[in-house]
Amino acid sequence: DAGVIQSPRHEVTEMGQEVTLRCKPISGHNSLFWYRQTMMRGLELLIYFNNNVPIDDSGMPEDRFSAKMPNASFSTLKIQPSEPRDSAVYFCASSFRGDYSNQPQHFGDGTRLSIL
Amino acid sequence: AQKITQTQPGMFVQEKEAVTLDCTYDTSDPSYGLFWYKQPSSGEMIFLIYQGSYDQQNATEGRYSLNFQKARKSANLVISASQLGDSAMYFCAMREVRTGNQFYFGTGTSLTVIP
């Protein structure tokens, strides 16, 4: 079975450029999460979607960050304009949301983003 | 208040010994799930084990077991017969059914297995 697929795996770009990270969740999963991980701040939840609808975006750092989920099989996280402090590993995770607690999140391999 | 607390930033264990990684949680939801993830130096997040709030037995998965003490709100991960490949970051997480599927992660514990 295909897991969560993220692209690109690595991205190096100059500050001020637009960055788009992509995620394909596991088929059948109805919840999708975007995380950012840094040494200083650890693993931070940026935003999550249930049934393609954003539920909580309180973790999005500022207006430069935006996320969309146009359908059940695709999501993007966009940073515009990018800044060096945005350098981090960005993870996408998906899960099945039901009435029971036993569904884990499955993570993609992450996108390692470096803003010069 | 923190939903998930991991108080051990770093732990060391001798190869073949057992080690316990601590996790406490905070919730008023009677229905919740507790999860442990492993993150090796290669970076991927690997799901290890799950414990439900209504489960009577402690969860086990191979060398991993979860010491679930509901009254204390603790869900410690026990790794038996440690191997060098167990060296990694370990994250405890919780999902509350009531909140519509948000997951809460702890800050992680870095485990180093010494040969």
Side-chain angles (χ1 to χ4, degrees), chain A residues 24-41:
Chain A
K24 178 178 170 55
I26 291 173
S27 177
H29 282 186
N30 53 7
S31 291
L32 184 139
F33 306 77
W34 282 101
Y35 292 90
R36 177 172 69 176
Q37 187 177 36
T38 61
M39 288 293 292
M40 290 296 294
R41 301 177 68 91

Side-chain angles (χ1 to χ4, degrees), chain A residues 18-93:
Chain A
E18 178 179 289
V19 173
T20 300
L21 310 181
R22 297 174 176 80
C23 177
K24 178 178 170 55
I26 291 173
S27 177
H29 282 186
N30 53 7
S31 291
L32 184 139
F33 306 77
W34 282 101
Y35 292 90
R36 177 172 69 176
Q37 187 177 36
T38 61
M39 288 293 292
M40 290 296 294
R41 301 177 68 91
L43 191 67
E44 302 174 274
L45 176 66
L46 300 178
I47 185 171
Y48 79 99
F49 298 82
N50 283 345
N51 297 316
N52 313 337
V53 176
I55 302 300
D56 184 355
D57 65 354
S58 60
M60 296 285 264
E62 47 199 272
D63 292 345
R64 298 184 297 106
F65 285 69
S66 63
K68 293 182 180 179
M69 192 166 185
N71 57 61
S73 58
F74 184 66
S75 177
T76 59
L77 178 68
K78 193 168 289 188
I79 309 172
Q80 167 63 21
S82 57
E83 297 183 4
R85 60 191 167 126
D86 302 330
S87 298
V89 179
Y90 291 80
F91 285 103
C92 176

Side-chain angles (χ1 to χ4, degrees), chain A residues 30-31 33 35 37 43 45 48 50 56 91 95-109 112, chain B residues 31-33 35 37 39 41-45 47 50-53 91 95 97 99-103 105-106:
Chain A
N30 53 7
S31 291
F33 306 77
Y35 292 90
Q37 187 177 36
L43 191 67
L45 176 66
Y48 79 99
N50 283 345
D56 184 355
F91 285 103
S95 173
F96 178 74
R97 173 178 182 256
D99 293 333
Y100 300 99
S101 65
N102 62 347
Q103 298 298 316
Q105 285 188 348
H106 297 268
F107 282 75
D109 289 338
R112 188 172 295 275
Chain B
S31 181
Y32 54 90
F35 305 83
Y37 288 82
Q39 186 178 39
S41 58
S42 51
E44 68 270 31
M45 291 282 279
F47 164 63
Y50 158 83
Q51 179 86 44
S53 58
F91 292 92
R95 177 186 170 222
V97 175
T99 62
N101 207 35
Q102 186 171 355
F103 278 69
F105 278 82

